[in-house]
């Protein structure tokens, strides 16, 4: 049966595949009844999204923070197409192939310390689930029962599956209505400053013997509100875990591959987690791929003559050759092109432009790190109107919660970045004046 939404407006310039009233595609984080129709898009090149009606938008989001080299980068497209033509997919159980072997080796070289063992899957959430499973079984394999719980942080976000929802901010986060259906975990505040550090250690000590791992996003808590913390806070977590023999899982799904200015946020703090999760920019925004990368300490706890000690996980598409080829091509670009310098240039532009918003009504703060800029408002009233105004101004920016977040592709030119920032500042200022004054 074909069903449609009754009250969505229809435009004449729409392509024949697009029905703005269709309900067949159920959209993410969206109230389907009231949402305006999505914008039909034909293609994307570099930093430009081309809409079906001919309009072009400069992308300020990198498609949920994935497209670090811009869209349809010829090197990634070429390598991925070549791989699809040779071996588009094969199961990783009992068979292996060059793209996965090569990628795992390159990730081992790139990741901090002895994070040498990559377990592949298709999404960030699942990689965090795998990291959790590794941590629980690490203890079981060592003969310690009872370590089943995780310490995670206020404002944290680690995914939308049930186990990962249990690590997100349970009180203030987007899944709070489902809290009774989630596994119990242990909440803590980011250990920023002496008081929070003491509270954090008290939490670890109060739950001694029951904790499998501490789980954190490094330096920036993303979807939970783009909150920043210091390298000292991250180092403190590492030390507090070391002092107690606990595992530390660091979720680099948003921050990994240059977003905060170094290849991984952990590099800035100089710490090595026991398991690190990566996804998003791993394939340069080309195909879905993620990995939970473990240290030798964790890997070796599974290394045994006992089959019962193996990691019982195996997503059907894990290590998909085309996705691994895209990731290898993305890593080639990090080697060949000046990505981290481009990130530094974006950071410098944020420093020039974002403070010009200081003083507008409803503003809480502007902040930035690397190629990640944040305009935090008291709230986002009239959110649909704000989103529409960005499109009208020729930019693609998706504000959420109470933040307007800028995470453009690293390859954005100086002119494009200036256009993006000027548009965002002009729209935000006039929207804030109309809704907060
Ligand atoms: C830090 C972090 N962890 C996990 C996830 C979940 O990844 P995915 O949406 O690929 O499941 C996200 C997604 O935004 C994220 O930012």
């Amino acid at each position: 049966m074909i069903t449609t939404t009754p009250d969505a407006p229809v435009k004449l310039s729409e392509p024949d595949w697009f029905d703005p009233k269709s309900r067949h595609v159920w959209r993410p984080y969206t109230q389907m009844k009231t949402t305006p129709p999505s914008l039909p898009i034909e293609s994307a090149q570099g930093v430009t999204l081309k809409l079906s009606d001919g309009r072009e938008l400069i992308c300020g989001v990198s498609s949920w923070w994935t497209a670090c080299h811009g869209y349809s980068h010829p090197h990634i497209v070429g390598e991925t197409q070549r791989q699809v033509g040779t071996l588009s997919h094969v199961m990783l159980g009992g068979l292996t192939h060059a793209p996965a072997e090569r990628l795992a080796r390159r990730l081992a070289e790139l990741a901090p310390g002895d994070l040498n063992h990559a377990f592949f899957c298709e999404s960030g959430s699942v990689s965090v689930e795998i990291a959790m499973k590794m941590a629980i079984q690490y203890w079981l394999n060592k003969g310690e029962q009872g370590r089943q719980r995780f310490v995670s942080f206020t404002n944290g976000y680690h995914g939308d599956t049930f186990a990962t929802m249990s690590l997100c901010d349970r009180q203030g986060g987007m899944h709070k209505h489902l809290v009774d259906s989630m596994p119990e975990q242990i909440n803590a505040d980011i250990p920023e400053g002496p008081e929070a550090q003491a509270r954090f250690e008290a939490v670890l000590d109060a739950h001694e013997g029951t904790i499998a791992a501490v789980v954190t996003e490094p330096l920036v808590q993303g979807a939970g509100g783009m909150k920043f913390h210091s390298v000292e806070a991250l180092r403190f977590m590492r030390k507090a875990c070391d002092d107690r023999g606990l595992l530390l899982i660091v979720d680099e799904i948003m921050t990994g591959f240059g977003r905060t200015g170094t290849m991984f946020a952990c590099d800035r703090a100089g710490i090595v987690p026991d398991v690190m999760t990566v996804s998003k920019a791993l394939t340069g925004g080309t195909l879905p791929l993620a990995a939970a990368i473990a240290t030798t300490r964790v890997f070796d706890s599974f290394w045994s003559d006992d089959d019962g000690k193996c990691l019982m996980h195996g997503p059907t598409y894990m290590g998909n050759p085309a996705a691994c080829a895209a990731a290898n091509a993305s890593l080639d670009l990090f080697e060949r092109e000046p990505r981290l310098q481009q990130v530094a240039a974006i950071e410098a532009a944020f420093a020039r432009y974002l403070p010009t918003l200081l003083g507008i009504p409803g503003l809480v703060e502007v902040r930035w790190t690397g190629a990640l800029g944040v305009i935090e408002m008291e709230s986002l009233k009239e959110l649909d109107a704000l989103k529409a105004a960005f499109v009208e101004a020729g930019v693609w920016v998706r504000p959420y919660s109470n933040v307007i977040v800028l995470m453009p592709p690293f390859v954005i030119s100086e002119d494009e970045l200036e256009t993006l920032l000027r548009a965002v500042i002009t729209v935000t200022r006039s929207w804030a004046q109309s809704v907060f004054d």
Side-chain angles (χ1 to χ4, degrees):
M1 191 176 70
I2 302 290
T3 53
T4 59
T5 307
D7 49 358
V10 185
K11 282 198 203 145
L12 289 177
S13 57
E14 281 149 5
D16 59 4
W17 53 262
F18 178 69
D19 173 3
K21 295 186 281 182
S22 173
R23 299 189 207 172
H24 288 295
V25 177
W26 197 333
R27 300 193 177 279
Y29 310 116
T30 295
Q31 174 44 262
M32 293 294 287
K33 184 172 180 194
T34 54
T35 185
S38 295
L39 300 175
I41 177 162
E42 286 298 330
S43 63
Q45 287 287 332
V47 299
T48 307
L49 305 177
K50 298 188 181 175
L51 301 183
S52 298
D53 62 9
R55 282 180 294 170
E56 295 191 349
L57 306 179
I58 295 180
C59 183
V61 188
S62 302
S63 280
W64 277 333
W65 324 328
T66 61
C68 55
H69 311 288
Y71 294 91
S72 310
H73 192 288
H75 179 60
I76 304 183
V77 172
E79 290 296 299
T80 308
Q81 281 175 340
R82 206 172 50 77
Q83 186 58 47
V84 169
T86 324
L87 177 69
S88 54
H89 182 62
V90 72
M91 61 195 279
L92 212 57
L95 298 169
T96 195
H97 50 80
E101 295 291 338
R102 208 164 148 246
L103 179 61
R105 220 168 298 147
R106 291 176 89 179
L107 288 172
E109 268 168 35
L110 207 55
D114 65 340
L115 286 162
N116 287 341
H117 313 276
F119 195 101
F120 292 116
C121 60
E122 318 90 330
S123 80
S125 299
V126 173
S127 70
V128 176
E129 296 246 359
I130 293 165
M132 295 171 82
K133 198 186 271 189
M134 285 174 174
I136 288 175
Q137 199 173 333
Y138 167 85
W139 295 107
L140 292 177
N141 287 354
K142 288 169 72 74
E144 268 213 52
Q145 310 288 325
R147 289 186 177 272
Q148 306 281 331
R149 294 173 76 193
F150 294 86
V151 177
S152 61
F153 294 96
T154 310
N155 298 315
Y157 175 84
H158 297 282
D160 293 340
T161 56
F162 271 88
T164 56
M165 285 194 299
S166 77
L167 303 177
C168 299
D169 189 321
R170 297 161 77 97
Q171 307 304 322
M174 65 176 95
H175 306 121
K176 53 180 182 286
H177 55 298
L178 295 171
V179 77
D180 292 341
S181 312
M182 300 172 195
E184 276 283 314
Q185 306 295 2
I186 302 157
N187 174 258
D189 292 335
I190 294 281
E192 192 76 88
E195 276 179 28
Q197 288 175 355
R199 286 202 309 276
F200 176 62
E201 289 200 296
V203 167
L204 297 187
D205 293 338
H207 295 275
E208 200 203 336
T210 68
I211 299 170
V214 173
V215 188
T216 189
E217 293 155 276
L219 304 186
V220 185
Q221 295 178 293
M226 291 291 165
K227 305 282 187 203
F228 294 4
H229 55 261
S230 64
V231 291
E232 287 76 24
L234 198 52
R235 286 182 194 140
F236 190 84
M237 288 180 211
R238 179 68 277 182
K239 182 169 184 320
C241 287
D242 284 345
D243 290 348
R244 294 160 181 81
L246 292 174
L247 298 180
L248 177 66
I249 297 173
V250 172
D251 178 349
E252 290 256 14
I253 287 168
M254 182 189 74
T255 50
F257 305 103
R259 185 55 66 177
T260 65
T262 47
M263 203 57 179
F264 298 101
C266 284
D267 294 334
R268 228 167 91 194
I271 64 142
V272 182
D274 299 288
V275 185
M276 184 171 97
T277 55
V278 292
S279 187
K280 291 200 184 282
L282 172 59
T283 65
T286 311
L287 286 170
L289 186 68
I293 311 174
T295 56
T296 301
R297 168 190 174 194
V298 172
F299 182 79
D300 278 355
S301 72
F302 291 78
W303 185 266
S304 165
D305 295 324
D306 177 356
D307 279 355
K309 289 193 169 177
C310 82
L311 182 62
M312 286 306 284
H313 209 95
T316 305
Y317 279 94
M318 74 178 287
N320 171 263
C324 290
N328 278 311
S330 174
L331 295 185
D332 294 342
L333 294 175
F334 275 105
E335 286 169 11
R336 290 177 197 166
E337 297 185 5
R339 286 293 175 269
L340 297 185
Q341 285 98 302
Q342 289 167 322
V343 171
I346 295 171
E347 181 171 53
F350 286 154
R352 281 197 305 278
Y353 281 91
L354 293 183
T356 64
L357 281 170
L358 293 176
I360 64 165
L363 182 80
V364 175
E365 188 184 56
V366 289
R367 53 184 178 272
W368 57 88
T369 179
L372 193 165
V374 184
I375 302 165
E376 181 172 337
M377 305 297 300
E378 286 163 15
S379 67
L380 291 182
K381 303 179 198 177
E382 310 284 347
L383 182 54
D384 285 342
L386 176 62
K387 288 178 182 169
F390 283 134
V391 171
E392 198 64 26
V395 295
W396 183 242
V397 180
R398 295 287 288 174
Y400 64 89
S401 178
N402 65 334
V403 285
I404 299 166
V405 180
L406 293 169
M407 293 174 76
F410 303 158
V411 296
I412 193 165
S413 71
E414 217 180 306
D415 283 355
E416 289 163 331
L417 186 55
E418 191 177 317
T419 307
L420 172 69
L421 288 171
R422 282 186 190 282
V424 167
I425 283 164
T426 307
V427 167
T428 303
R429 181 177 285 122
S430 79
W431 161 81
Q433 278 159 357
S434 72
V435 300
F436 289 102
D437 255 357

